[in-house]
Amino acid sequence: MNKSFLRYILTLIVVIMTLAFYIPARYNVRYPREIGPQFDPFYKRVSLRAIAIDQPQMVVLGDSVFMRGVDLDQLAAGAGKTVYGIGVGGSASALWYVVIKNNIVPSPYKPQALMIVFRDTMLTTTGYRVNGSYFKQLDEYATPNDHLLIERSYINLMNPLEKISERYLPLYGSRLSLRETLDYYIRYSGNKVLFGCDNRCTDKAMGIVYGAANMEQNILGDAIGTAEDYLYTPGALDFNQQVNRSFLPEIVRMCRENGIQLVLIRTKTMRYPDEASEPLALKMYMENMSAYLNANGVILLDFGQDERIKTEYFYDPLHLNEQGRVIFTEMIVNSLKTILH
């Protein structure tokens, strides 16, 4: 065996063994460890307090598509009801589930209706937007006791090798903490000395330079489309296979047991802008979802192929512009008048 290669192997073994002792001590994690992420015990209760104090008749939940596409003041005025919105950019069904579980259901006051603004298969894709930067915002609402979240969004999506590695190998099991540490040093080291820019200044500068406003819109649109591909894989498009692995049954149960009318609002996107472009698998998915929701007393407002939402109303493939926001909110108001009293 080549001596240099042997030295490399020995060095690698020493480094891995050293890290196997250092990482558990550095991040206070015992190995073998529990499989799945470790959520902080502290979580946001802002919405819980607001709902208990303000007692809104309707609560609307969703991601940036909801935040930019629904005018809450217009919605409240048109529906003749008080409205409270919970918008979290980049959120998906995993975060919506823990928000409902930890911030809406525990309130001593229960709203008349909970509306969730979603698109296509989001409500049954448990692994969508739960890792990387999305994990951080999920951690703000989840607790270590959210076992269903850990099971369905993480453990159930891991193969046997991943489970073994996460349980026994610190270098793999603590990879998120290691990445955060490395990112911190790369992002902030030396900036204050070299440029007089502290951590807050650095964050602000990076937000300006790398913000969406500075991105080429065509490239940004392509990036959004690529990220959305996860929602349209063959597995994700099989509603009957995915529903019992998802959070949807629990969301339905929590609302029903607390006397809250669940209303699901499907938005339109430019991925499939008209009826002809929508694949058969997605049509079947929505038919199966509609049947499931109808059997469980859930109201579905499906605007996924509504011709009133025109191409010129979109800012990018997912988000509506100001004109689209007004039109879409008016459409929701008109639909609610016939179903909520």
Side-chain angles (χ1 to χ4, degrees):
M1 183 180 292
N2 185 284
K3 289 184 178 181
S4 59
F5 181 72
L6 181 60
R7 283 196 297 269
Y8 166 76
I9 293 297
L10 291 174
T11 302
L12 182 62
I13 292 173
V14 170
V15 169
I16 291 175
M17 291 183 65
T18 302
L19 289 174
F21 288 98
Y22 170 77
I23 290 173
R26 170 67 174 79
Y27 298 108
N28 193 29
V29 179
R30 287 178 173 270
Y31 280 86
R33 53 160 285 180
E34 292 294 322
I35 301 174
Q38 307 297 309
F39 289 111
D40 193 287
F42 300 99
Y43 64 97
K44 286 186 175 180
R45 296 175 175 85
V46 175
S47 297
L48 174 60
R49 290 193 294 269
I51 292 171
I53 294 171
D54 299 337
Q55 299 189 355
Q57 293 166 292
M58 299 191 302
V59 173
V60 191
L61 175 62
D63 65 354
S64 61
V65 171
F66 147 64
M67 295 161 68
R68 297 183 62 168
V70 180
D71 186 316
L72 293 180
D73 292 333
Q74 180 186 346
L75 178 62
K81 296 181 181 292
T82 52
V83 178
Y84 177 74
I86 307 175
V88 183
S91 60
S93 64
L95 189 140
W96 301 340
Y97 160 71
V98 290
V99 166
I100 295 167
K101 177 178 178 290
N102 297 331
N103 269 263
I104 297 177
V105 168
S107 171
Y109 168 82
K110 304 296 190 278
Q112 177 187 353
L114 168 64
M115 296 185 287
I116 302 178
V117 180
F118 75 101
R119 57 190 176 278
D120 298 338
T121 68
M122 285 183 74
L123 287 169
T124 55
T125 48
T126 59
Y128 184 58
R129 293 181 170 176
V130 296
N131 293 308
S133 60
Y134 299 119
F135 174 80
K136 291 184 179 181
Q137 67 180 20
L138 188 55
D139 191 25
E140 294 179 347
Y141 292 90
T143 75
N145 295 322
D146 286 316
H147 302 298
L148 190 69
L149 169 66
I150 296 171
E151 175 189 321
R152 295 191 178 178
S153 285
Y154 297 96
I155 296 176
N156 287 356
L157 303 179
M158 298 168 65
N159 62 47
L161 181 59
E162 288 177 302
K163 293 178 181 179
I164 292 171
S165 298
E166 181 143 322
R167 184 167 178 78
Y168 295 103
L169 301 180
L171 194 58
Y172 184 84
S174 295
R175 62 195 181 282
L176 296 179
S177 298
L178 284 167
R179 186 172 67 182
E180 286 181 4
T181 301
L182 291 172
D183 179 71
Y184 178 88
Y185 286 115
I186 292 170
R187 182 185 294 256
Y188 301 116
S189 294
N191 288 349
K192 189 169 185 179
V193 174
L194 295 174
F195 308 110
C197 189
D198 60 13
N199 292 4
R200 181 177 297 180
C201 166
T202 299
D203 289 337
K204 183 177 180 181
M206 294 189 72
I208 293 172
V209 173
Y210 297 108
N214 277 347
M215 293 184 183
E216 174 62 42
Q217 289 304 306
N218 290 336
I219 296 175
L220 179 59
D222 290 343
I224 292 173
T226 300
E228 294 287 292
D229 286 346
Y230 185 81
L231 298 176
Y232 303 96
T233 60
L237 287 167
D238 189 337
F239 178 82
N240 292 329
Q241 182 183 48
Q242 296 298 326
V243 62
N244 289 326
R245 304 174 183 176
S246 73
F247 302 111
L248 184 56
E250 275 299 296
I251 292 173
V252 171
R253 181 192 64 79
M254 287 189 290
C255 289
R256 181 175 58 242
E257 292 181 357
N258 287 275
I260 302 170
Q261 175 61 63
L262 180 59
V263 181
L264 302 180
I265 303 174
R266 182 194 180 199
T267 62
K268 184 174 183 175
T269 73
M270 285 294 97
R271 186 182 186 99
Y272 302 117
D274 53 47
E275 190 75 26
S277 65
E278 187 174 78
L280 178 61
L282 182 54
K283 295 181 193 293
M284 292 299 299
Y285 176 96
M286 291 309 304
E287 287 182 11
N288 290 329
M289 170 182 267
S290 180
Y292 174 87
L293 297 177
N294 185 60
N296 284 278
V298 179
I299 296 170
L300 173 64
L301 303 182
D302 189 349
F303 300 107
Q305 292 299 336
D306 200 302
E307 294 180 353
R308 292 173 293 178
I309 307 175
K310 304 180 185 302
T311 302
E312 57 265 31
Y313 296 161
F314 282 85
Y315 170 79
D316 61 34
L318 299 182
H319 302 92
L320 293 170
N321 57 29
E322 287 302 316
Q323 185 180 9
R325 177 187 177 97
V326 173
I327 298 296
F328 184 51
T329 305
E330 183 179 356
M331 291 165 59
I332 296 174
V333 168
N334 291 335
S335 296
L336 290 177
K337 286 179 179 177
T338 63
I339 59 176
L340 296 181
H341 306 287

